[in-house]
Structures are given as structure tokens and as C-alpha cells.
């Protein structure tokens, strides 16, 4: 069962909770019982695949020449 990380908006406590499949994260309360929690998106790993997803810095200058 996946475990997600949450942050309480009221007491700013970070905690982990398990969500059942299809269960809304809006039902998750913090350990202090606050209902205003938000889910933190911390995926274990994001892999960007595909072409063209990089930045080319053609405008980079070599700097001033110190003659
Ligand atoms: Zn709280």
C-alpha cells in the first residue's frame, strides 16, 4: 500500500499516511486531528525521457579576455 507524505496547514506537521486505492487525500487528518492537510508530492523518482527536453545555452559567452 502506498504511503504518502502530508503536511498539515494548521500545525505544519509533516506526517505520513497510507491511502487506500481510490481514497481521497482530503480525508486524511494530521496526528493532531486537523483536517486541513495537503499532500506532498515527493515521487521516488522522476525520469524525463524523450528528446528535446534540454536547454542549449548558445548565448554563453566566454567572458572578457584579460589581456
Ligand atoms: Zn495539524
Amino acid at each position: 500500500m502506498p504511503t504518502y507524505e502530508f503536511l498539515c496547514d494548521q500545525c505544519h506537521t509533516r506526517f505520513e499516511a497510507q491511502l487506500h486505492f481510490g481514497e481521497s487525500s482530503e480525508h486524511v487528518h494530521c496526528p493532531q486531528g486537523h483536517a486541513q492537510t495537503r499532500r506532498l508530492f515527493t515521487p521516488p523518482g522522476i525520469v524525463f525521457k524523450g528528446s528535446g527536453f534540454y536547454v542549449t545555452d548558445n548565448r554563453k559567452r566566454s567572458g572578457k579576455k584579460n589581456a
Side-chain angles (χ1 to χ4, degrees):
M1 192 166 300
T3 303
Y4 298 102
E5 199 167 11
F6 290 85
L7 175 68
C8 178
D9 276 341
Q10 295 187 241
C11 65
H12 302 107
T13 299
R14 286 176 68 158
F15 62 98
E16 291 181 346
Q18 290 181 339
L19 276 185
H20 295 272
F21 188 76
E23 186 180 12
S24 175
S25 59
E26 296 173 1
H27 298 156
V28 176
H29 290 190
C30 92
Q32 275 73 35
H34 301 136
Q36 303 228 343
T37 58
R38 69 174 78 186
R39 188 170 141 200
L40 298 177
F41 291 96
T42 53
I46 299 178
V47 179
F48 287 105
K49 286 186 177 180
S51 60
F53 197 80
Y54 59 90
V55 177
T56 53
D57 193 6
N58 291 328
R59 293 173 299 173
K60 185 196 288 183
R61 301 197 173 192
S62 58
K64 289 183 180 179
K65 288 184 179 178
N66 197 6

